[in-house]
């Protein structure tokens, strides 16, 4: 009896000790977000095709790396991996979660293969994923594949059955983009090199631990698929590959300096340590295991894009095709339409050097194009750069950035279509379409008017900081242009014709991709004025009228429209796409903060582990925006207006959050008192904060933010 009691006590202690030793990386599930929404209740309509459930990749990467080493279950689909698929075509080395990349797919094989049929089935029961590591068993070939990576290199480890021939399929004609050219060749007894040219040209230099017998190919009609054949060395086949967007020579140097000579387990551990170093900058206490899992999985997902494009020696290929070296790390463009809202602020807080280099990269591209680049829609490098500068990130040529942003705001033919019309008329006129449908493409005039108003506000903040008073006044005079597309008769932001009349065929609940609104309807677009929320409220007869309209956003049912990018609804509110992601906070401006909290909690509770496998988001993650939305709101502060260096305070889901600022020995702590949804007091360093906003510079003073609820 005594032995049994001792055993039980020991087991309980062991369980508690094990939980106490759990690292942030142990909470991360890289498969979260890879599943599809099929259920009508989850999607908000009856699906006739797959509904995007985050579109993320489950493979190995380290933060903001050049290499994302991940399985491809279907080319030309999101990240290339869909959880419901049952076959793998290869392991590619770039992924974003959009319909591009998936460069240089490789697949181990044995036996007979053909150019048309080399894919292998797999099962999730023999698949695992962890930060910096991915593993899957390929049923067709009896191969256990393990993958890990560094910033610029990939490590493939393939365990074959004894006596089987060892092959590597390199179908370089395939990627998520149109492949223009490719090459592969043997360079030594254990080395093969080559490139794949799609949207970008990616070079590789690979070293195997087996001697290469030869490189031949299998053919079918016009398709040629190279196959690297290896002599058996009686141990798992290991292939270390360096990559570069400059040259094979640089790919070799990247490999030599980052990976060559290291074991698989060593590289895997270094990748895990890298993630733990990043993720542990935020320590959460309290909450459930599920909430911690969602939090750290979302935090992980927030730091995979933008992706590195410069080599270890500093070389990179600029947008003009020239190889240059400017002393900073060159990155891909952020998904600015999406992630300017939150992810880039999180990046600045935890990885300021990366953020400074991302801005330098944007400036480098802008100086060659004549305009600051954007992504998809709007001009949101303005909010990103202005907000970063005002938060103290200043290791770049701010005058060059400002001049480019000013050109965007004033010169036609660049980043902002119809900017002359916006500047002279005060809004962008829409076209009258008699029978518009979701796919109707015109000017997305309402969304552009709203976004340009905010973008001008962001550039104005930078102008003020740089003491350019004349342009500050000019820009600020346009920040209220959003009011010119507000229809007081309906209470919606509405398409307006050049003569001032409203678009007649108006259905506020009908979704459009690019007619009046960009990937939204009138409900989802009407509440966007983060620079002037009080001015937006004042457009209505009173606060009660605004509150009633806002209530309707969350209660008027979605009418079952099926359209890509629209899923995950609370009434008309759409968590599955970005346009209304700041709208839940609008209750704050009619003194009903607790109503905002109900919505925020509902979103966090329901929209991040959806579907039968609990592995789907409400919609596309868009390079980390959806994930970062969760991270900020789980912590209890959010960049409501990302251009402004301040945060709106909400009720965190954790009792305590310890936040360590990068490159310093300091940070700040957030404490939640009580478990209500209504905030009764906010204090920092013992001093009461009036209102619901806290300045970035105040938060960073290393003290404690206490959020008291009732």
């Amino acid at each position: 009896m005594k032995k049994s009691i001792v055993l039980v006590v020991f087991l309980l202690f062991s369980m508690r000790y094990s939980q106490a030793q759990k690292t942030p990386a142990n909470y991360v599930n890289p498969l979260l977000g890879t599943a599809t929404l099929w259920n009508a209740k989850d999607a908000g309509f009856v699906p006739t095709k797959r509904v995007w459930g985050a579109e993320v990749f489950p493979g190995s990467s380290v933060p903001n790396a050049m290499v994302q080493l991940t399985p491809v279950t279907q080319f030309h689909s999101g990240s290339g991996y869909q959880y419901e698929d049952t076959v793998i075509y290869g392991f590619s080395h770039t992924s974003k979660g959009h319909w591009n990349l998936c460069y240089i797919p490789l697949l181990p094989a044995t036996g007979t293969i053909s150019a048309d049929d080399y894919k292998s089935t797999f099962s999730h029961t023999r698949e695992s994923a962890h930060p910096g590591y991915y593993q899957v068993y390929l049923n067709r070939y009896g191969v256990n594949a393990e993958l890990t990576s560094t910033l610029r290199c990939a490590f493939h480890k393939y365990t074959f059955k004894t006596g089987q021939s060892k092959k590597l399929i390199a179908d370089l004609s395939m990627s998520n983009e149109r492949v223009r050219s490719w090459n592969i060749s043997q360079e030594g007894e254990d080395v093969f090199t080559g490139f794949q040219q799609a949207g970008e040209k990616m070079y590789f230099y690979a070293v195997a631990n087996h001697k290469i017998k030869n490189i031949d190919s299998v053919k079918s009609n016009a398709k040629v698929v190279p196959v690297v054949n290896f002599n058996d060395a009686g141990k798992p086949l290991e292939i270390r590959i360096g990559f570069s967007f400059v040259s094979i020579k640089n790919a070799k140097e990247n490999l030599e300096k980052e990976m060559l000579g290291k074991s698989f387990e060593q590289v895997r551990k270094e990748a895990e340590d890298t993630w733990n170093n990043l993720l542990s900058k935020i320590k959460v206490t309290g909450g459930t295991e599920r909430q911690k899992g969602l939090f750290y999985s979302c935090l992980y997902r927030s730091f995979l894009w933008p992706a590195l494009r410069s080599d270890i020696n500093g070389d990179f290929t600029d947008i003009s095709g020239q190889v240059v070296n400017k002393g900073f790390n060159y990155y891909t463009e952020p998904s600015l339409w999406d992630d300017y809202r939150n992810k880039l602020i999180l990046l600045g807080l935890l990885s300021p050097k990366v953020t400074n280099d991302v801005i330098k990269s944007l400036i480098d591209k802008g100086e060659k194009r004549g305009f600051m680049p954007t992504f998809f829609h709007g001009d949101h490098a303005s909010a990103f750069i202005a907000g970063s500068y005002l938060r103290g990130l200043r290791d770049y040529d701010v005058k060059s950035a400002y001049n480019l942003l000013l050109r965007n705001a004033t010169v036609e033919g660049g980043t902002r279509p119809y900017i002359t019309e916006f500047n002279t008329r005060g809004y962008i006129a829409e076209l009258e379409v008699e029978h518009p449908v979701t796919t109707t493409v015109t000017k997305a005039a309402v969304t552009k008017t709203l976004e340009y108003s905010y973008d001008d506000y962001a550039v104005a903040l930078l102008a003020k900081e740089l003491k350019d008073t004349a342009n500050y006044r000019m820009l600020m005079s346009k920040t209220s242009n959003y009011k010119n597309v507000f229809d007081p008769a309906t209470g919606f932001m509405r398409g307006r014709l050049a003569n001032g009349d409203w678009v007649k065929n108006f259905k506020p609940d009908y979704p459009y991709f690019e007619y009046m609104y960009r990937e939204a309807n009138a409900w989802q677009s009407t509440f966007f004025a983060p620079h002037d929320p009080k001015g937006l409220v004042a457009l209505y007869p009173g606060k009660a009228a605004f509150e009633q309209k806002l209530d309707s956003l969350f209660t008027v049912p979605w009418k079952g429209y099926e359209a890509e990018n629209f899923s995950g609804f609370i009434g008309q509110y759409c968590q599955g796409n970005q346009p209304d992601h700041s709208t839940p906070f609008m209750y704050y401006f009619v003194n009903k903060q607790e109503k905002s909290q109900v919505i925020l909690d509902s979103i966090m509770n329901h929209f991040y582990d959806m579907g039968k496998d609990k592995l789907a988001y409400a919609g596309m993650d868009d390079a980390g925006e959806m994930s970062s939305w969760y991270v900020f709101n789980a912590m209890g502060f959010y960049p409501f207006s990302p251009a402004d260096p301040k945060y709106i305070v909400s009720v965190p889901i954790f009792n305590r959050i310890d936040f360590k600022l990068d490159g310093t020995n300091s940070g700040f702590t957030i404490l939640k008192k009580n478990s209500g949804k209504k905030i009764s007091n906010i204090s920092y360093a013992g001093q009461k904060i009036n209102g619901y906003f806290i300045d970035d510079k105040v938060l960073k003073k290393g003290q404690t933010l206490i959020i008291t609820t009732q």
Side-chain angles (χ1 to χ4, degrees), residues 57 121 159 176 183-184 204 212 229 290 292 335 357 380 387 416 419 436 448 491 516 541-542 565 575 594 596 609:
F57 68 91
T121 59
T159 303
N176 266 10
N183 182 67
I184 186 171
F204 60 91
I212 299 171
N229 297 290
R290 169 182 173 268
K292 289 177 182 175
S335 289
D357 283 349
H380 302 319
R416 298 198 202 182
I419 189 59
K448 282 187 174 66
M516 292 193 286
N565 278 0
Q575 180 64 17
E594 66 275 16
S596 287
D609 54 355

XYZ file of all heavy atoms in Angstrom, residues 57 121 159 176 183-184 204 212 229 290 292 335 357 380 387 416 419 436 448 491 516 541-542 565 575 594 596 609:
222
model
N 2.221 26.342 -44.108
C 3.031 25.146 -44.352
C 3.476 24.543 -43.018
O 3.714 25.258 -42.052
C 4.236 25.469 -45.238
C 5.268 26.343 -44.594
C 6.326 25.783 -43.886
C 5.207 27.725 -44.702
C 7.288 26.578 -43.287
C 6.179 28.539 -44.110
C 7.216 27.958 -43.405
N 1.892 8.011 -51.182
C 0.878 8.203 -50.144
C 1.567 8.350 -48.779
O 2.715 7.948 -48.591
C -0.096 7.019 -50.089
O 0.644 5.827 -49.814
C -0.852 6.884 -51.400
N 15.700 7.556 -44.320
C 16.011 6.191 -43.901
C 15.244 5.218 -44.766
O 14.012 5.128 -44.691
C 15.654 5.985 -42.417
O 16.351 6.958 -41.621
C 16.047 4.587 -41.964
N 4.923 26.209 -57.464
C 3.611 26.858 -57.462
C 3.524 27.979 -58.484
O 2.471 28.568 -58.678
C 3.278 27.413 -56.071
C 2.476 26.430 -55.243
O 2.309 25.274 -55.609
N 1.975 26.886 -54.108
N 18.085 23.618 -64.153
C 19.251 22.803 -64.474
C 19.690 22.039 -63.237
O 19.538 22.514 -62.106
C 20.411 23.676 -64.964
C 21.616 22.846 -65.352
O 21.569 22.088 -66.320
N 22.699 22.969 -64.610
N 20.226 20.849 -63.449
C 20.828 20.063 -62.381
C 21.996 19.293 -62.967
O 21.920 18.786 -64.096
C 19.805 19.104 -61.726
C 20.431 18.392 -60.520
C 19.228 18.121 -62.725
C 19.419 17.597 -59.696
N 21.171 26.089 -55.992
C 21.435 25.159 -54.900
C 22.765 24.445 -55.098
O 23.237 24.242 -56.221
C 20.300 24.146 -54.742
C 20.039 23.273 -55.944
C 20.685 22.043 -56.093
C 19.130 23.657 -56.915
C 20.436 21.226 -57.187
C 18.868 22.839 -58.016
C 19.522 21.625 -58.157
N 27.406 9.594 -55.488
C 26.400 9.647 -56.551
C 26.805 8.694 -57.669
O 27.923 8.774 -58.209
C 26.257 11.080 -57.092
C 25.796 12.025 -55.973
C 25.283 11.129 -58.263
C 25.826 13.490 -56.350
N 20.787 9.152 -58.627
C 20.959 7.788 -58.132
C 22.212 7.708 -57.267
O 23.277 8.208 -57.639
C 21.088 6.824 -59.311
C 19.836 6.798 -60.163
O 18.801 6.294 -59.751
N 19.926 7.359 -61.371
N -4.737 24.527 -23.852
C -5.179 24.832 -25.220
C -4.817 26.263 -25.583
O -4.306 26.530 -26.686
C -6.688 24.630 -25.350
C -7.296 25.168 -26.647
C -8.805 24.974 -26.687
N -9.391 25.630 -27.824
C -9.874 26.873 -27.810
N -9.833 27.586 -26.688
N -10.412 27.392 -28.904
N -2.484 28.156 -24.312
C -1.035 28.283 -24.467
C -0.583 27.688 -25.803
O 0.306 28.238 -26.469
C -0.316 27.595 -23.313
C -0.447 28.330 -21.981
C 0.222 27.552 -20.856
C 0.056 28.268 -19.519
N 0.601 27.482 -18.392
N 3.605 41.170 -46.604
C 2.246 41.169 -47.154
C 1.507 42.381 -46.581
O 0.631 42.261 -45.727
C 1.521 39.866 -46.789
O 2.052 38.791 -47.505
N 15.893 45.979 -41.289
C 16.382 45.496 -42.578
C 15.249 45.313 -43.586
O 15.450 45.509 -44.792
C 17.149 44.186 -42.399
C 18.555 44.398 -41.836
O 19.002 45.561 -41.782
O 19.206 43.404 -41.460
N 0.324 50.594 -47.665
C 0.480 50.434 -46.228
C 1.916 50.295 -45.747
O 2.146 50.115 -44.549
C -0.375 49.270 -45.743
C -1.833 49.470 -46.068
N -2.451 50.699 -45.941
C -2.781 48.625 -46.535
C -3.724 50.582 -46.309
N -3.939 49.347 -46.678
N 4.874 53.999 -38.319
C 4.711 53.401 -36.995
C 6.016 52.885 -36.432
O 6.293 53.040 -35.233
N -0.230 54.183 -55.857
C -1.639 54.463 -55.578
C -2.410 54.799 -56.860
O -2.386 55.948 -57.326
C -1.781 55.633 -54.608
C -1.185 55.436 -53.232
C -1.792 56.463 -52.294
N -0.974 56.736 -51.119
C -1.327 57.579 -50.152
N -2.473 58.241 -50.251
N -0.545 57.780 -49.111
N -4.742 58.336 -57.639
C -4.396 59.241 -56.550
C -4.730 60.692 -56.890
O -5.126 61.478 -56.018
C -2.900 59.105 -56.160
C -2.604 59.894 -54.880
C -1.988 59.524 -57.295
C -3.421 59.474 -53.682
N -23.791 43.846 -60.971
C -22.473 43.418 -60.462
C -22.558 42.057 -59.776
O -23.576 41.713 -59.173
C -22.117 44.512 -59.461
C -23.440 45.012 -58.977
C -24.360 44.933 -60.165
N -10.351 52.011 -51.616
C -9.202 52.884 -51.878
C -9.356 54.227 -51.170
O -8.398 54.760 -50.593
C -9.030 53.090 -53.383
C -8.377 51.923 -54.115
C -8.085 52.279 -55.561
C -7.305 51.169 -56.257
N -8.079 49.926 -56.406
N -26.260 54.686 -43.717
C -25.300 54.444 -42.643
C -24.130 53.585 -43.075
O -23.454 52.994 -42.230
N -16.461 48.475 -55.740
C -16.677 49.316 -54.563
C -15.721 48.944 -53.433
O -14.987 49.779 -52.918
C -18.135 49.268 -54.081
C -19.111 49.929 -55.045
S -20.753 50.198 -54.324
C -21.399 48.527 -54.335
N -26.208 59.870 -36.140
C -26.980 60.849 -35.353
C -26.554 60.957 -33.887
O -26.789 61.976 -33.252
C -28.421 60.331 -35.474
C -28.438 59.573 -36.752
C -27.084 58.943 -36.862
N -25.950 59.926 -33.363
C -25.494 59.944 -31.982
C -24.805 58.646 -31.656
O -24.771 57.707 -32.463
N -12.068 33.978 -49.656
C -11.636 34.992 -48.689
C -12.732 35.419 -47.728
O -12.498 36.285 -46.896
C -11.069 36.248 -49.376
C -9.621 36.067 -49.787
O -9.028 35.024 -49.574
N -9.055 37.082 -50.384
N -14.085 37.167 -39.659
C -12.749 36.970 -39.113
C -11.828 36.316 -40.135
O -10.605 36.410 -40.024
C -12.801 36.122 -37.840
C -11.457 35.859 -37.190
C -10.767 37.116 -36.669
O -11.404 38.144 -36.512
N -9.474 37.022 -36.397
N -16.855 46.658 -22.719
C -17.162 45.265 -22.394
C -17.804 44.529 -23.564
O -17.645 43.310 -23.699
C -18.041 45.185 -21.142
C -19.436 45.767 -21.295
C -19.500 47.267 -21.052
O -18.425 47.929 -21.058
O -20.619 47.785 -20.853
N -16.985 45.031 -26.688
C -15.830 44.649 -27.511
C -15.202 43.368 -26.988
O -14.852 42.461 -27.765
C -14.770 45.760 -27.514
O -15.169 46.855 -28.277
N -8.886 27.063 -33.958
C -8.651 25.610 -34.051
C -9.966 24.955 -34.472
O -10.551 24.174 -33.755
C -8.098 25.031 -32.752
C -8.952 25.354 -31.535
O -9.926 26.116 -31.676
O -8.649 24.827 -30.443
